[in-house]
Amino acid sequence: MSEALIGFAAVFLLALLRIPLAFAMGLVGFVGLGLMRGWPATMANAAQVVYDTGFAYTLSVVPLFILMGNFVARAGLAQELFRAAYAFIGHLRGGLAHATVIACAGFGAICGSSIATAATMAKVAYPPMKKLGYADYLSTGVIAAGGTLGIMIPPSTILVIYGIVTETHIGKLFAAGVLPGLLCVMLLMAGIAWITWRDPAAGPAGKRSSWAERRAALRDIWGVALLVVVVLGGIYGGVFTATEGAGIGASGAFFFALARRTLTWKILRQVLVESARTTAMLFTILIAAMMFSGFINFTTMPGDLKEWILHLGLSPLMVVGAMMLIYVLLGTIMEELSMVLLTIPVFFPIVISLGFDPVWFGVLIVLVVQIGLISPPVGMNLFVLNSLLKGVPLSQIFRGVWLFVLALVIALVIVLEFQPIALWLPGFMK
Amino acid sequence: MKQALTTLCGTIAAVALFALMLLTLVDVGGRKLLSQSVPGSLELTELLMVAVIFAGLPLVSLQGEHIVFDSLDRLLSPALRRVQQWLVDALCVAALGGLAWLMWAKAGEMASYGDTTAQLLLPLGPFVRAMSLLIAVTALVHVMFMLRPADSHSAGAEDPEQGAL
């Protein structure tokens, strides 16, 4: 037990000294295991982990989904999604904000990244909201929070990573994200309604679109809709695996971008290199996390902690609830991916031994990551908006997002209490 | 140097990723529609993955895109920050250098056993050697950071729209 605690403390200390988290986790895992098992075995093990993670067919799902999202972002499709959503609800109070959430959800069905969704929507949705006189705190809050739908609505980078490290079925995880994603959409829209009810000037109504305009707007998005149906429907229906679906999706998005003439050689190269870089960064931390969890699993900590918690006689749901509380609090200051990868080796065995479904826990993990991404003071989505929207001070972004943090916390409590929201859809999969 | 590295590694990673995408498309399409898959598609995918990840690695370091906890930066004076960054880079060099050496040893071992892929019988040793070399190149990137004048060091990621999540 004490070895593991020292290990955790060492990772945090190294991270505070600004050592990249991947290197901190990898080094501590390596040294920890070396001291416990002896160096020759540990050295062989480290090389094997790097080798196995590099040569892994199923992990090609990661770069392919990233590539799909990046192609579609370049194809300028977010614009059309936003316009279509606006055509139907733009005339309501706060209509542009509602349309932003819906467009984020649509974009999230192709893109598995929260940061990319927020960045794309900031460019598409912020200017029209500004033009119509929306208060900055509302528009930025909505974009930041809506962006997190990118990781709940499948595909989702964090679900893929969770699936890899816990060996949970990625297709089932994707299916499990759909209804909680829609729940988040509803709660975020409720938040907008609340804000614009209290402060109607923050989100004035736009002009009503005619049915002809609505039909035209819908026509513009059929291509994406088809891509989503083929990829996610194919995975859900068991026609292909998540890895195969990712390859089809990336190819489809490529031809889509090509057909819309948004690709030059330079842009194609840029998209590919960006996606490869994101992949390499993810794999660095993935490999490091595997070394670290190799060490943690060698200590007595997972077993001790499990026993201790079972002895406390708490209700299983309370235990998971306490974990979620820890995550939400940690998420305000920590980078979320490393938070999850650091804690999974300890939390996951407990959750499983309490008899919970790993798919359900995966959805909870996504929700706490979503919350962490938008909760000040350290929330990546907020920083992304701050760097993209030069005219809006960070204090305005912080101010507007709190209500949406609350909305997602409510979503977390609902999914915690009512497991079928996550587990009903994957239940139909073989 | 930086330019050459960006071009070389970027091209390898980009070509490999594009090939990976097309390979999956053709393989799945062939299997579902014509019930015929690309021979050795599984191991080709794995080899391409290695190229994407490990050619991408030096670029991640070059762009300063590793996840770091930088909230304390404000509390440190610029001089102290420079010393800190130098030490961080030194540690990265040590870690990456060690790993490159381990992988090189593994490559030698695999080559001496004559390990090959299962279907196409491609020798694995050279690929693991390439992994080792690219990790070493990443270590060199951090050496470069240690040597270059302090004021030119970029503190964080240059492209805020790319992130892990």
Side-chain angles (χ1 to χ4, degrees):
Chain A
M1 181 81 175
S2 52
E3 301 92 344
L5 288 177
I6 295 171
F8 274 105
V11 171
F12 279 110
L13 186 71
L14 291 175
L16 278 181
L17 295 174
R18 215 179 191 285
I19 291 164
L21 268 150
F23 292 77
M25 284 165 82
L27 271 176
V28 171
F30 182 78
V31 172
L33 201 60
L35 291 173
M36 293 180 68
R37 273 185 70 182
W39 297 101
T42 304
M43 279 154 70
N45 174 65
Q48 195 61 37
V49 169
V50 175
Y51 176 84
D52 287 343
T53 317
F55 286 85
Y57 169 77
T58 46
L59 299 195
S60 64
V61 64
V62 175
L64 291 173
F65 270 130
I66 293 173
L67 187 60
M68 172 172 168
N70 283 347
F71 271 135
V72 169
R74 281 304 165 102
L77 171 112
Q79 184 76 45
E80 267 114 64
L81 279 170
F82 180 68
R83 205 180 301 137
Y86 175 78
F88 284 87
I89 52 174
H91 59 283
L92 303 174
R93 188 167 67 200
L96 275 173
H98 289 299
T100 304
V101 171
I102 291 177
C104 282
F107 196 72
I110 317 158
C111 177
S113 150
S114 162
I115 291 166
T117 306
T120 310
M121 292 312 297
K123 282 175 235 162
V124 170
Y126 180 76
M129 283 198 270
K130 186 80 190 163
K131 203 168 142 199
L132 203 63
Y134 270 54
D136 280 338
Y137 79 87
L138 174 60
S139 49
T140 54
V142 165
I143 296 169
T148 67
L149 293 171
I151 53 169
M152 178 56 91
I153 296 185
S156 158
T157 316
I158 188 79
L159 279 179
V160 168
I161 296 204
Y162 174 86
I164 292 167
V165 295
T166 64
E167 297 179 353
T168 306
H169 192 285
I170 292 173
K172 284 190 179 170
L173 286 168
F174 279 5
V178 174
L179 293 181
L182 295 178
L183 175 70
C184 291
V185 168
M186 284 192 296
L187 287 166
L188 293 179
M189 288 175 76
I192 297 167
W194 167 267
I195 290 175
T196 50
W197 173 64
R198 295 292 302 262
D199 181 5
K207 79 170 182 34
R208 184 184 283 274
S209 310
S210 70
W211 276 102
E213 283 170 320
R214 288 176 187 178
R215 272 195 301 276
L218 277 188
R219 254 202 310 280
D220 285 340
I221 59 169
W222 72 266
V224 209
L226 185 71
L227 193 62
V228 170
V229 168
V230 168
V231 173
L232 297 182
I235 295 173
Y236 185 63
V239 181
F240 31 71
T241 63
T243 310
E244 294 169 347
I248 306 244
S251 309
F254 164 68
F255 289 118
F256 191 72
L258 201 63
R260 296 173 55 115
R261 300 172 187 283
T262 48
L263 283 185
T264 60
W265 280 107
K266 194 170 160 236
I267 291 179
L268 175 63
R269 189 190 143 93
Q270 218 174 353
V271 169
L272 287 167
V273 172
E274 264 173 21
S275 308
R277 271 198 342 244
T278 308
T279 306
M281 190 258 280
L282 276 171
F283 272 77
T284 314
I285 194 152
L286 201 60
I287 289 170
M290 288 184 176
M291 289 190 187
F292 183 72
S293 69
F295 157 60
I296 292 294
N297 290 334
F298 204 75
T299 69
T300 52
M301 188 184 199
D304 288 353
L305 214 57
K306 199 157 77 186
E307 212 144 285
W308 179 66
I309 284 178
L310 294 180
H311 264 288
L312 281 180
L314 297 169
S315 83
L317 208 55
M318 267 173 78
V319 175
V320 181
M323 286 177 186
M324 293 301 121
L325 186 66
I326 294 173
Y327 274 138
V328 170
L329 294 178
L330 267 183
T332 59
I333 50 164
M334 251 190 104
E335 194 277 327
E336 284 73 22
L337 180 65
S338 26
M339 170 181 90
V340 169
L341 286 173
L342 268 174
T343 50
I344 284 279
V346 176
F347 282 1
F348 188 74
I350 297 176
V351 171
I352 298 311
S353 70
L354 289 171
F356 289 115
D357 193 322
V359 172
W360 170 72
F361 191 63
V363 171
L364 292 179
I365 291 277
V366 177
L367 272 164
V368 291
V369 170
Q370 281 183 282
I371 294 167
L373 283 167
I374 59 166
S375 45
V378 181
M380 264 315 288
N381 272 25
L382 309 174
F383 295 156
V384 168
L385 290 190
N386 187 45
S387 75
L388 285 177
L389 309 173
K390 296 286 181 217
V392 188
L394 197 57
S395 58
Q396 281 292 308
I397 301 179
F398 280 9
R399 182 186 151 204
V401 85
W402 278 115
L403 193 81
F404 299 108
V405 172
L406 183 67
L408 292 180
V409 169
I410 294 173
L412 176 65
V413 173
I414 294 177
V415 177
L416 196 62
E417 284 289 331
F418 196 64
Q419 300 183 25
I421 291 189
L423 295 177
W424 186 65
L425 275 181
F428 293 102
M429 292 173 76
K430 275 185 283 204
Chain B
M1 170 74 182
K2 185 178 165 178
Q3 197 52 48
L5 205 61
T6 313
T7 313
L8 181 69
C9 290
T11 307
I12 299 175
V15 171
L17 182 54
F18 197 68
L20 180 67
M21 179 190 97
L22 287 182
L23 173 66
T24 312
L25 177 72
V26 173
D27 183 46
V28 176
R31 204 142 17 100
K32 302 292 170 193
L33 304 176
L34 312 169
S35 10
Q36 193 165 32
S37 68
V38 178
S41 62
L42 204 123
E43 51 203 59
L44 285 176
T45 299
E46 295 182 348
L47 295 176
L48 288 171
M49 276 297 286
V50 168
V52 172
I53 299 167
F54 290 91
L57 193 55
L59 302 177
V60 176
S61 279
L62 260 180
Q63 300 270 342
E65 283 179 325
H66 290 293
I67 298 171
V68 291
F69 186 84
D70 52 6
S71 305
L72 298 184
D73 286 2
R74 269 167 297 174
L75 305 179
L76 297 179
S77 69
L80 210 55
R81 279 268 300 113
R82 276 203 294 279
V83 176
Q84 180 195 31
Q85 196 54 50
W86 194 87
L87 290 172
V88 167
D89 282 321
L91 189 108
C92 291
V93 171
L96 289 163
L99 195 60
W101 176 71
L102 281 179
M103 294 315 285
W104 189 263
K106 186 170 181 64
E109 215 174 277
M110 294 183 78
S112 71
Y113 293 150
D115 283 354
T116 60
T117 62
Q119 232 182 322
L120 300 177
L121 304 179
L122 299 167
L124 280 167
F127 284 98
V128 180
R129 280 229 161 87
M131 277 165 103
S132 161
L133 281 177
L134 286 164
I135 295 171
V137 168
T138 314
L140 279 180
V141 169
H142 289 277
V143 171
M144 222 160 73
F145 284 162
M146 288 168 74
L147 296 178
R148 77 183 179 188
D151 52 310
S152 68
H153 198 301
S154 67
E158 285 160 20
D159 184 0
E161 295 168 45
Q162 289 291 314
L165 295 168

